[in-house]
Amino acid sequence: MNTPLPLNRTRHSDLRVGIVSTEEERLKAYAVRIAVYLEGQDCPWDEELDGNDQVATHVLAQLGGEPVGCIRLRFFAGFAKLERLAVRDSFRGRGYADPLVRFAMEHVARKGYHTLVLHAQSGRETFWEQYGFSRIAGRRAFDFSGVDYTEMAAALPHAADPVTLAWDA
């Protein structure tokens, strides 16, 4: 696998990225996904907003309280999965996806996971490669909602401050 970029804190001091912890934040994350996937890519409702949302961790980026982008994370035995990266059209081209991805990768590493998997839209693999993702050997591209995807994985570094039994929070 490729060597990932360092997991630095966001360089966008005005952007707030964090774990969704309120119903309002959850609705903001859903609103971003509805705008990007349902409206922007004609993804069917039941494929985009599925039962996995209730058991996932959601990451939200906000600018002055305005939802900018989001990511969904799910955790499995031995690996985590990054899903549904979305940045609203009006905020694209400003580099806001980068702090979202870095925050998500750091969060997963702090939870003790060392492998992060995702399904990259065809043609967007290069974006993910800059974060250390590479195609999983032997896996074929697949179609979901009329879009081709490639399964990719990244090895995460050990977190400097992992969540452990001794963690005080």
Side-chain angles (χ1 to χ4, degrees), residues 31-83:
V32 170
R33 287 176 42 201
I34 289 167
V36 171
Y37 292 112
L38 272 66
E39 293 300 315
Q41 296 183 11
D42 292 325
C43 181
W45 174 272
D46 62 343
E47 288 182 10
E48 178 53 35
L49 295 162
D50 57 22
N52 292 321
D53 286 311
Q54 302 306 315
V55 295
T57 297
H58 300 271
V59 179
L60 178 66
Q62 299 183 80
L63 193 59
E66 186 71 17
V68 170
C70 62
I71 286 176
R72 180 171 88 177
L73 297 170
R74 290 193 296 143
F75 298 90
F76 300 90
F79 72 97
K81 189 173 179 193
L82 188 153
E83 303 172 318

Side-chain angles (χ1 to χ4, degrees), residues 102-118:
R102 289 179 185 280
F103 182 95
M105 292 178 76
E106 187 174 273
H107 180 74
V108 170
R110 286 191 69 222
K111 287 176 109 17
Y113 289 85
H114 303 293
T115 302
L116 186 56
V117 174
L118 60 79

Side-chain angles (χ1 to χ4, degrees), residues 8-18 60-66 68-69 87 91-103 127 130-131:
N8 299 326
R9 298 285 181 205
T10 176
R11 66 179 179 274
H12 300 279
S13 60
D14 51 346
L15 186 73
R16 298 290 174 245
V17 179
L60 178 66
Q62 299 183 80
L63 193 59
E66 186 71 17
V68 170
V87 175
F91 292 99
R92 290 191 186 156
R94 301 185 201 179
Y96 292 137
D98 181 70
L100 263 167
V101 171
R102 289 179 185 280
F103 182 95
F127 171 82
Q130 72 181 319
Y131 296 100

